[in-house]
Amino acid sequence: MSARQAEAGAPVRGAPRREITPGAVLPLLGFLLLAALFPFLPLGSRAEFLLQIAFFTLVAGIMALSWDILARSGQVSLAHAAFYGLGAYGYALLLKAGLPWLLAMPVAALLAGSVSLILGAVTMRLSGMYFAIATLAFTEVVRTIIQNLPESVAGGATGLLVPALLGGNSRAQYFLAWGLLAFTVLVSLAVRLTRLHFAFAAIRQGEETARVLGVSIVRFKLLAFFISSSLAALAGVLYAGKTFFINPLETFSLANSIAPLTTSIFGGLYTTLGPVLGATVLRVAEELLHNSVKNGYLVVYGLVLMLSILWLPRGLMGLRRNKKHGGDL
């Protein structure tokens, strides 16, 4: 294969085939349709509570899918909490500066994406655990900087109040989260169905091989970082606008870096439906366990998650592959 063919998107040996089948598309469309109909279901007296759980499930789906897009280029990052937090703080500070929320949201995402290019450039030569440790350290650096800014600017360690998104209307907030998840799905499909997919897969299989094939390692790795981090920042904006309050300790917590990783693995790496499905199943399971095992439910949740990953090395999407339901998007 020539370098020109690789750049043009010709399949790389060992990479998944690019194909669209009804078996791959219908579950994805079905999930988005069911999620859109959820607020119209007869939810009873707990409607507000259930809508809130569904909202944060959509946010978790955005985070997991954004992490998976970066992982497709072979970069296992622990910096997602940093970009999630930068999105939340960027949105809050832009609102404070007088920008309307509709403008503050994409600007905050683009700013976080721009910061990710710096991290990507600095860590370009690292891989494996060295890359993961560097990204984890980056999260701590960002958290420390935000925490030590003057209280009049970012609230310091105490935190910052954020105006309620869409006037606090929970149904409108839900549909905004649904729209951003649908946008993230479209971005993921765009990556999956274009030459980006083959470039990312080639880098993931080995940078030397990708370089021989003519793939620009620097360009595609930075692009993966920018896309992934911008989407994670949008999830942070939703979080800030929903909770009305953010602080460095919670917003930049290690859990916000680990959760998208485990969710993607549980759902199925390098797919679009897998991380979204994983976020839904894990979020519902967490709530059910919280209600049935009030003391120590996180221990049970962790064990269930660990055993699930051991038994399903390809995640939930592995079940679909075993049943030959067509190619996975």
Side-chain angles (χ1 to χ4, degrees):
M1 179 187 301
S2 69
R4 184 182 295 276
Q5 284 175 317
E7 285 292 299
V12 176
R13 181 180 295 178
R17 293 173 58 196
R18 180 168 53 178
E19 58 182 5
I20 301 176
T21 64
V25 174
L26 289 178
L28 196 56
L29 294 178
F31 176 88
L32 290 175
L33 180 61
L34 286 175
L37 294 175
F38 182 79
F40 300 105
L41 297 176
L43 302 175
S45 59
R46 303 185 72 189
E48 198 67 25
F49 173 68
L50 293 175
L51 205 56
Q52 180 169 309
I53 293 174
F55 174 90
F56 284 110
T57 301
L58 297 178
V59 173
I62 295 171
M63 281 289 280
L65 194 48
S66 67
W67 185 89
D68 188 81
I69 290 173
L70 181 62
R72 293 175 202 179
S73 66
Q75 302 177 93
V76 180
S77 170
L78 290 177
H80 249 49
F83 300 112
Y84 180 79
L86 284 173
Y89 269 89
Y91 174 72
L93 294 177
L94 288 170
L95 287 183
K96 201 174 172 183
L99 260 69
W101 72 271
L102 202 53
L103 185 58
M105 181 179 287
V107 171
L110 291 174
L111 286 174
S114 301
V115 173
S116 77
L117 295 179
I118 300 172
L119 174 64
V122 172
T123 58
M124 186 63 62
R125 294 182 181 277
L126 300 178
S127 62
M129 68 175 181
Y130 298 104
F131 177 80
I133 291 171
T135 53
L136 181 62
F138 172 77
T139 303
E140 282 302 302
V141 168
V142 174
R143 185 186 66 78
T144 304
I145 291 174
I146 294 288
Q147 191 167 317
N148 286 283
L149 287 175
E151 287 196 13
S152 59
V153 176
T158 307
L160 196 64
L161 290 173
V162 184
L165 200 58
L166 295 169
N169 185 318
S170 57
R171 182 172 287 199
Q173 291 173 342
Y174 177 84
F175 281 112
L176 177 63
W178 182 89
L180 290 179
L181 176 63
F183 173 71
T184 307
V185 166
L186 288 176
V187 172
S188 173
L189 291 178
V191 171
R192 179 68 177 85
L193 299 173
T194 63
R195 65 177 186 170
L196 286 177
H197 168 68
F198 297 114
F200 288 176
I203 295 171
R204 187 173 73 244
Q205 291 172 12
E207 292 191 9
E208 286 304 319
T209 305
R211 197 170 285 113
V212 169
L213 292 172
V215 177
S216 172
I217 307 293
V218 174
R219 182 155 59 105
F220 284 109
K221 285 179 88 170
L222 289 181
L223 181 60
F225 238 123
F226 181 82
I227 295 172
S228 174
S229 304
S230 300
L231 294 172
L234 286 177
V237 170
L238 289 172
Y239 165 76
K242 180 70 175 179
T243 58
F244 319 144
F245 176 77
I246 52 177
N247 66 68
L249 197 60
E250 291 184 6
T251 311
F252 295 95
S253 68
L254 180 61
N256 286 332
S257 284
I258 297 295
L261 184 155
T262 53
T263 302
S264 296
I265 294 173
F266 177 74
L269 284 171
Y270 317 138
T271 64
T272 299
L273 179 60
V276 177
L277 197 59
T280 305
V281 172
L282 289 179
R283 185 68 182 169
V284 171
E286 183 180 352
E287 288 300 325
L288 290 175
L289 284 171
H290 184 254
N291 288 329
S292 56
V293 191
K294 291 190 181 300
N295 295 322
Y297 80 97
L298 283 177
V299 176
V300 178
Y301 174 80
L303 286 173
V304 170
L305 179 60
M306 186 176 68
L307 292 174
S308 300
I309 291 174
L310 287 174
W311 286 336
L312 295 171
R314 292 183 176 179
L316 297 177
M317 296 303 291
L319 297 174
R320 281 176 46 79
R321 289 169 186 157
N322 292 339
K323 292 180 179 179
K324 299 181 180 178
H325 278 184
D328 295 325
L329 289 177

